[in-house]
Amino acid sequence: MRGLNLLLLLGLLGQTYASWGDKNKIFINCLTRCAEVQCDPSIAQPLPLLLRLTFWTCSDDCKYRCMHATTTREVEMGLAVKQYYGKWPFWRMGGIQEPASVAFSLFNLWTHVGGLARIRRDIPEGHPMKLYYVVWAFASMNTWIWSSVFHTRDTSTTEKLDYFSAALTILCALYFTVIRLFHLYPSSRSQLTLTQSTPKGNSNSIRRLWSFICVVTFTCHVSYLTLLPTFDYFYNIVFNAVLGLTHNALWLAYSLPFGPLRRFPGRPKSYRPSFVKKAGILVGCMTAATALELFDFPPLGRIIDAHSLWHLSTALIAPYWYRFLVEDSRDESWHDQRV
């Protein structure tokens, strides 16, 4: 945990140092001139249609033009690229602020649509985990929709919708992981689950308590970030990192040869089908991909940055995770073995 805090601190320090671009005198002077010449209501020309459709204002357009003019000048002088208002300078496409992140967010959306179809098609009806996976898939799709909206136009509202949707998806993933790995799922009337593994009353109570904890946690998380006068970015990073790393640690424990968990209903802890190791590999890939969020760098060609590459990496990992969930759900141990 101490190492995680150090990584988060280093990432935030790097962002703080890189955000000095909007305090640059050259940039400020450019903004002043642009506002006087381009934004005077008596002489101002309307912005192009695509900019108006994506809610750009004359002031926004001035910031964009001056940001790139200043960046170009500083690059020619051999200076490092800086952030402006906490964002790297990206070339926009039409009215889209960060085209690469939007494209990769839509790629993620497509992979989760395909994953949902796989869950519905390949996991038998009546399986106690199917509904949880379907809900998580919808939460993921919602996240990537708002991610694409946020990277199209960064506003206070789209930012919160993006961050809150992401937190909900991560919490949903941890929620179903605890239910799956600790066998808290409700009993099924079908022949899918073992008779001896049907949860007793205490398991139902634990599942309800866990559900309540997750609902309260998300409600408090959103309320805290909404009611603050300024958005607490550091807390938001730590909150999501703790949830994500806990989720990954649980699946890693599931995958280890001598893990502490009983993986499947009615089977001993030693029962470990060959596909189980995939969980450890995939959460390892997820954790490695998260490093792109912590160690940011200026966008290559002012198009692709670490954040967009993180979006690309999650889109590449997601189909394999859905395949693993299907394999786990179709293991023979879920079927009723009558004595």
Side-chain angles (χ1 to χ4, degrees), residues 53-127:
L53 288 175
T54 47
F55 304 102
W56 285 77
T57 64
C58 184
S59 175
D60 294 332
D61 193 49
C62 280
K63 291 177 181 178
Y64 172 81
R65 295 179 183 278
C66 289
M67 173 181 67
H68 281 289
T70 305
T71 298
T72 298
R73 177 174 176 174
E74 292 186 338
V75 169
E76 291 173 349
M77 296 170 60
L79 301 176
V81 176
K82 298 179 179 66
Q83 290 187 347
Y84 294 78
Y85 305 103
K87 297 288 183 179
W88 292 115
F90 292 95
W91 294 118
R92 68 190 175 195
M93 180 180 295
I96 299 175
Q97 281 182 276
E98 301 177 35
S101 287
V102 171
F104 295 150
S105 293
L106 293 175
F107 184 18
N108 273 281
L109 173 61
W110 179 76
T111 62
H112 283 281
V113 170
L116 174 62
R118 180 184 291 272
I119 292 293
R120 285 175 159 170
R121 180 184 67 244
D122 295 341
I123 296 182
E125 291 298 327
H127 193 287

